[in-house]
Amino acid sequence: MDARSLQSIFVAVRANKLFELFVITVIVASALLVGVKTYEISPGMRRFTDPLDLVVTLIFVTEIVIRFIADDNRRRFFHDFWNSFDTLIVLVSLVPVDNSDMALVARLVRVFRVLRMVSLIPELRVLLVSLVKALPQLGYVMLLLFIIFYIYGAIGSTLFGTVNPTLWGNIAISMLTLFRVMTFEDWTDVMYETMEAYPLSWVYYVTFIFFTAFAFLNMIIGIVVNVMEEEHRSIRDKAAASRGEPTLADVHERLGEIQGMLRAQAALESRRE
Amino acid sequence: MDARSLQSIFVAVRANKLFELFVITVIVASALLVGVKTYEISPGMRRFTDPLDLVVTLIFVTEIVIRFIADDNRRRFFHDFWNSFDTLIVLVSLVPVDNSDMALVARLVRVFRVLRMVSLIPELRVLLVSLVKALPQLGYVMLLLFIIFYIYGAIGSTLFGTVNPTLWGNIAISMLTLFRVMTFEDWTDVMYETMEAYPLSWVYYVTFIFFTAFAFLNMIIGIVVNVMEEEHRSIRDKAAASRGEPTLADVHERLGEIQGMLRAQAALESRRE
Amino acid sequence: MDARSLQSIFVAVRANKLFELFVITVIVASALLVGVKTYEISPGMRRFTDPLDLVVTLIFVTEIVIRFIADDNRRRFFHDFWNSFDTLIVLVSLVPVDNSDMALVARLVRVFRVLRMVSLIPELRVLLVSLVKALPQLGYVMLLLFIIFYIYGAIGSTLFGTVNPTLWGNIAISMLTLFRVMTFEDWTDVMYETMEAYPLSWVYYVTFIFFTAFAFLNMIIGIVVNVMEEEHRSIRDKAAASRGEPTLADVHERLGEIQGMLRAQAALESRRE
Amino acid sequence: MDARSLQSIFVAVRANKLFELFVITVIVASALLVGVKTYEISPGMRRFTDPLDLVVTLIFVTEIVIRFIADDNRRRFFHDFWNSFDTLIVLVSLVPVDNSDMALVARLVRVFRVLRMVSLIPELRVLLVSLVKALPQLGYVMLLLFIIFYIYGAIGSTLFGTVNPTLWGNIAISMLTLFRVMTFEDWTDVMYETMEAYPLSWVYYVTFIFFTAFAFLNMIIGIVVNVMEEEHRSIRDKAAASRGEPTLADVHERLGEIQGMLRAQAALESRRE
């Protein structure tokens, strides 16, 4: 049995509906397994879940191998984001969960198997890709927001560092405290404390809330406008393509033809005279 | 008196304005009755409200029976969502409220009589239907949101389960805690507690807030774009239908006719020569 | 001096720029006076503010009288909302502030003089009118929201009334507690308390937050779509009106004329033959 | 070496890519320096950061001088907002940080050097300018919001001043408390306290939240509509300009020409007869 025929078998397997359904079931089962293991479970049950974990890992390895061999262009297999993504998750699952320092990390990584749900459902992949695509558009607003946080963080730790070191000890802690203020989470407790030392420090908080809210608002509007623009363009394109509707340019062109015909007629008439 | 004439009488009753007004009054009264019974009331007054409750139930039963008999197609009566809805509410009201275990449930079910207000007012029915219709569109975003919750829940209960079992005991409790974090409700208290064991755990919270806020934002934009698209289409259709306004296609067609006329004339002229 | 000439004098006064400026100054001053009086002030200063208050009242009365007499159609004077509004505020200011029970009410009513700022600035009047106009559109969503509140309030006071009477004592208190939950204000404290008695009561809170957030979202989208629609219409109308731009209907009509001319010509030609 | 040749050298320096890169590096370094100094640092390290601070200041002064001399129109140098902005920040950095009263202020001002990041990146400048431009549009809504705050603040301090002077002592403190209520921050604690004295005071809070939320919503919609309108116009203009697409007016004009030609022809025909 040569490599060629092996590949064609694997292509058939990959295209098989039952194989696909089986993989989906395993992914959902592995996700449930992740959930179940967070509960206090008896050792008897543990004797049941641990081998299951191994079985899931083996199935995942087999599936990736089949998909790799079945691929037409094996060199480009890892150029596809979702292939690399799946392989990475499966590879890390192979790290044994013993009582070493890595045990906790290995258990955590196994959680990310749930993300295979995303790589499985095309609609979720589209959604995730569109989320990631929207990020760079927001880049500069995020940078502006970061600069606002940085300046207020520096001012905060300079002024309030002695008032409450837990909240304003250095610029990093201050920025975390400011993130808390931005989410309105018990921000008045923070404010009333500093107002005892600096009675005017409410200006610091109110302006910060104003600036960040405004920047955030701008960000949202930016996305909305962007999304709508694309939506409008796609609607227009679809309308023009599917219904074969004439555009204003078509009408204008046809009018030019009519003018040409009339001019030719007028020229004919004048020659006749 | 045969069944036919009985039906025609009931059809007349159903169409009667006074009957409709009476039913509305009873529904509003039953809603008020539900509210009144949450107050501490004297036994003297209870002697008054309990029979009232029975009267309302009887009126509701009578009304449903009249509407059922008056219906042209009795087999399809329960195919209508609102008919089934009303009947279900009325049927459950018939469960006696004694001191058995079912008493509390029966009292609670009686609360849903207020929902008959929705089935009564057409505008509210439209609103509710549009709400329900919008749900499946959001399906995939909801699923993505659920996956984010599930992964963060699993990580949370793995890492923080020993720090505070009340908040992070298992994946279900962790997801409830994360819902709390998403609403910004005292989330810093939760964070500061885990930061004592894991100083870097703020990354967990900040990224979670970022992801959920972003997914939620996407969801809102999805609805808005959808609603606007439909709105635009309905406006365009209405404009075209009501005002009989010509479209660009009409103009293009008329131009084609003019070209035909000119060509015919030109052919005539050339033949004449 | 007869009534006619008196009216013409008052019309002149009303139209006078200095008079207008003076009234604005008095309104701003009366607003500041309202603010100042909330501070602990010495009796010496009180001897200064109390007569000022009287002076402001007198000026306001005089202004209203002038505007009333200067009005062309005195019978319709109070048909204008802002005239009635101003008169009412001024009239209530005439109630003496002594140590009777009405003293506090009279002081509070004087606060509303600040609202004269709104009746003074046309842009604010437009804003307020548009706010009030938007309300009825939201009527049904508000009603739906109220029904949701009512049902959850009735369920809440039935189930949790014995757990914490301060929060869930009766339907009115329950609805206030639910408003608090809707604003995410310490809602987990409320939830954790009831979860001790009913471990599944988190369903109650999560569904309530979901429903109200969804209804609220719908409300916002409703307003946005409405505002945009009006905006679009006004833009289209303005464009058509100001620039004298031809519409598609104009183009279609002109094409009809051209067809008429061509037909006439063709008829002429055929007659000639 | 005369002034002319000096200027041309400085123009060359300003245009040099390496010089630009160097300035960017120094600005980022100065921003990091601001952050580092918020940490508890050893005196040994302080011996390192203090001269660095001086070096940054000197480089900034040199850069401004170079840009000033290289400018074609030195009189108008400070008419440019960003030049004045940079110069101001650099000038204030020259204030010595000794142990006088001004030391804290001088340290704080140095924080604003981070803002030079904004003046450096054109995209951030555009963003900031657009933020500032959006402010006046919101002027009247802000004024309305202020009036709502002022009236509720006056009522609050009149009614609740004796209940809790820390929160309702005078109109300024009351307005800060109301800002807190608007952000939903522990607003129920404030409410429950006043409800003990005035059981109906929940009306005060609920109406306030309703009014401010509504005004805020209006503000957001105002911006969105405005942004979209500009967007639409710019899209239309771009489409018309770049693609040379005909407008409806072009089509209408061309039809006028055709009518003219047909009339001329008809006149010719009738003359011939």
Side-chain angles (χ1 to χ4, degrees), chain C residues 61-74:
Chain C
V61 170
T62 316
E63 185 222 346
I64 294 281
V65 168
I66 288 175
R67 272 168 48 198
F68 177 72
I69 293 176
D71 203 298
D72 283 334
N73 196 343
R74 266 168 243 172

Side-chain angles (χ1 to χ4, degrees), chain B residues 33 35-47 49-50:
Chain B
L33 202 62
V36 164
K37 282 203 280 183
T38 66
Y39 287 87
E40 202 99 343
I41 46 177
S42 63
M45 198 151 171
R46 184 158 292 271
R47 233 179 299 154
T49 59
D50 281 352

Side-chain angles (χ1 to χ4, degrees), chain A residues 150 157 171 187-188 252 259, chain D residues 31 38 180 183 185 254 257:
Chain A
Y150 199 87
S157 59
I171 199 168
W187 69 273
T188 46
H252 201 245
Q259 275 185 316
Chain D
T38 65
R180 165 186 175 171
T183 64
E185 219 297 272
R254 189 170 270 196
E257 290 167 25

Side-chain angles (χ1 to χ4, degrees), chain C:
Chain C
M1 194 191 211
D2 64 314
R4 284 255 139 188
S5 64
L6 194 73
Q7 191 192 353
S8 60
I9 290 170
F10 281 8
V11 168
V13 168
R14 195 183 55 175
N16 194 307
K17 275 281 155 201
L18 271 177
F19 174 70
E20 204 178 295
L21 201 74
F22 175 69
V23 171
I24 293 175
T25 315
V26 171
I27 289 175
V28 172
S30 82
L32 288 178
L33 202 64
V34 162
V36 164
K37 283 202 279 183
T38 65
Y39 287 87
E40 202 100 343
I41 45 176
S42 62
M45 197 150 172
R46 184 157 293 272
R47 235 178 300 153
F48 192 67
T49 59
D50 280 353
L52 252 180
D53 210 51
L54 196 71
V55 169
V56 165
T57 305
L58 287 178
I59 293 171
F60 278 4
V61 170
T62 316
E63 185 222 346
I64 294 281
V65 168
I66 288 175
R67 272 168 48 198
F68 177 72
I69 293 176
D71 203 298
D72 283 334
N73 196 343
R74 266 168 243 172
R75 279 190 197 158
R76 300 202 145 230
F77 184 76
F78 294 109
H79 285 186
D80 181 71
F81 173 73
W82 297 106
N83 283 341
S84 314
F85 180 84
D86 285 352
T87 311
L88 188 75
I89 288 175
V90 171
L91 275 184
V92 182
S93 296
L94 294 175
V95 175
V97 183
D98 47 29
N99 291 324
S100 71
D101 288 353
M102 286 295 287
L104 191 69
V105 174
R107 275 188 66 193
L108 281 180
V109 164
R110 230 144 278 201
V111 170
F112 287 100
R113 280 179 180 172
V114 179
L115 274 177
R116 290 216 52 198
M117 297 272 274
V118 177
S119 75
L120 196 80
I121 305 171
E123 281 87 356
L124 288 186
R125 277 157 71 162
V126 167
L127 216 62
L128 210 79
V129 167
S130 80
L131 284 187
V132 171
K133 264 189 192 162
L135 283 181
Q137 294 170 355
L138 304 176
Y140 287 110
V141 183
M142 298 288 269
L143 183 57
L144 189 66
L145 216 54
F146 182 81
I147 291 175
I148 295 172
F149 263 81
Y150 199 87
I151 291 173
Y152 272 88
I155 296 175
S157 58
T158 306
L159 285 180
F160 313 140
T162 52
V163 177
N164 187 342
T166 321
L167 289 175
W168 305 101
N170 58 53
I171 199 167
I173 294 181
S174 296
M175 284 169 79
L176 186 58
T177 304
L178 286 170
F179 185 72
R180 166 186 174 171
V181 170
M182 197 177 93
T183 64
F184 297 150
E185 218 298 272
D186 277 347
W187 68 273
T188 47
D189 296 353
V190 179
M191 179 176 69
Y192 290 146
E193 196 183 46
T194 61
M195 273 176 79
E196 271 166 39
Y198 301 89
L200 279 173
S201 63
W202 60 267
V203 175
Y204 174 84
Y205 298 96
V206 172
T207 54
F208 176 75
I209 288 174
F210 184 82
F211 284 136
T212 49
F214 210 78
F216 193 74
L217 188 65
N218 220 276
M219 206 163 89
I220 292 176
I221 292 170
I223 310 178
V224 171
V225 167
N226 220 64
V227 167
M228 297 223 160
E229 212 174 307
E230 275 178 38
E231 199 69 23
H232 274 265
R233 198 174 308 144
S234 83
I235 289 173
R236 224 191 306 153
D237 292 358
K238 255 186 275 169
S242 68
R243 283 186 266 161
E245 237 182 36
T247 65
L248 208 53
D250 292 336
V251 167
H252 201 246
E253 203 192 316
R254 189 171 270 196
L255 277 173
E257 291 168 23
I258 292 178
Q259 277 185 313
M261 286 161 80
L262 286 173
R263 268 195 215 98
Q265 206 172 2
L268 197 78
E269 304 255 330
S270 64
R271 243 186 299 135
R272 256 211 317 223
E273 252 145 84

